[in-house]
Amino acid sequence: KTIVLAQNMETDKLTSVTAQELRNQLSDLINRTAYLKEPILVTRQGKSVAVLVSVEDWDEFQSLKKASEALEAGNTDQTEDRGEKGASTGI
C-alpha cells in the first residue's frame, strides 16, 4: 500500500501556505487533507515549518517509520554479531 503523502511528495509539488493563510483558511485546509488526502506545506518567513496531513497518512507514516527502524536495528545487530561495527578485536 502506497501512502498518498509519499506519493504526492515524490511526484507532485506540495500545496504551500503561509502560517497566516493557514490561520485564515484552517477549516478548508483541514478538509483538503482529511478528505482529499492532500498534504499542505506550511511556511513562515519563507521557510518550511510544518506539513498538515490526514490522520490516515500520519498513521501510515508512523508504521513505515517503525518498520524502517526495526530493519535498521536488525541490520545493526547482525553487523555487530559479525564484528563489523564497533567491535573491539583486542589487538
Side-chain angles (χ1 to χ4, degrees):
K1 177 179 169 184
T2 302
I3 63 171
V4 175
L5 174 62
Q7 183 179 13
N8 284 346
M9 289 178 70
E10 291 174 6
T11 61
D12 299 329
K13 185 175 180 180
L14 284 168
T15 299
S16 178
V17 297
T18 65
Q20 182 62 48
E21 290 169 331
L22 176 68
R23 282 189 287 274
N24 295 340
Q25 303 171 27
L26 186 58
S27 180
D28 178 55
L29 295 172
I30 288 174
N31 286 336
R32 287 166 61 179
T33 59
Y35 300 113
L36 300 177
K37 307 295 187 238
E38 179 182 346
I40 307 291
L41 177 67
V42 181
T43 63
R44 184 182 295 149
Q45 298 178 347
K47 296 181 182 179
S48 300
V49 294
V51 177
L52 183 64
V53 296
S54 69
V55 171
E56 292 86 2
D57 287 346
W58 178 252
D59 289 343
E60 187 68 22
F61 171 78
Q62 291 292 81
S63 295
L64 291 171
K65 183 178 174 186
K66 286 179 185 176
S68 176
E69 289 169 352
L71 284 173
E72 287 179 10
N75 289 341
T76 299
D77 291 341
Q78 290 173 2
T79 303
E80 288 174 356
D81 289 343
R82 292 190 305 247
E84 296 177 9
K85 183 176 180 184
S88 174
T89 59
I91 298 178

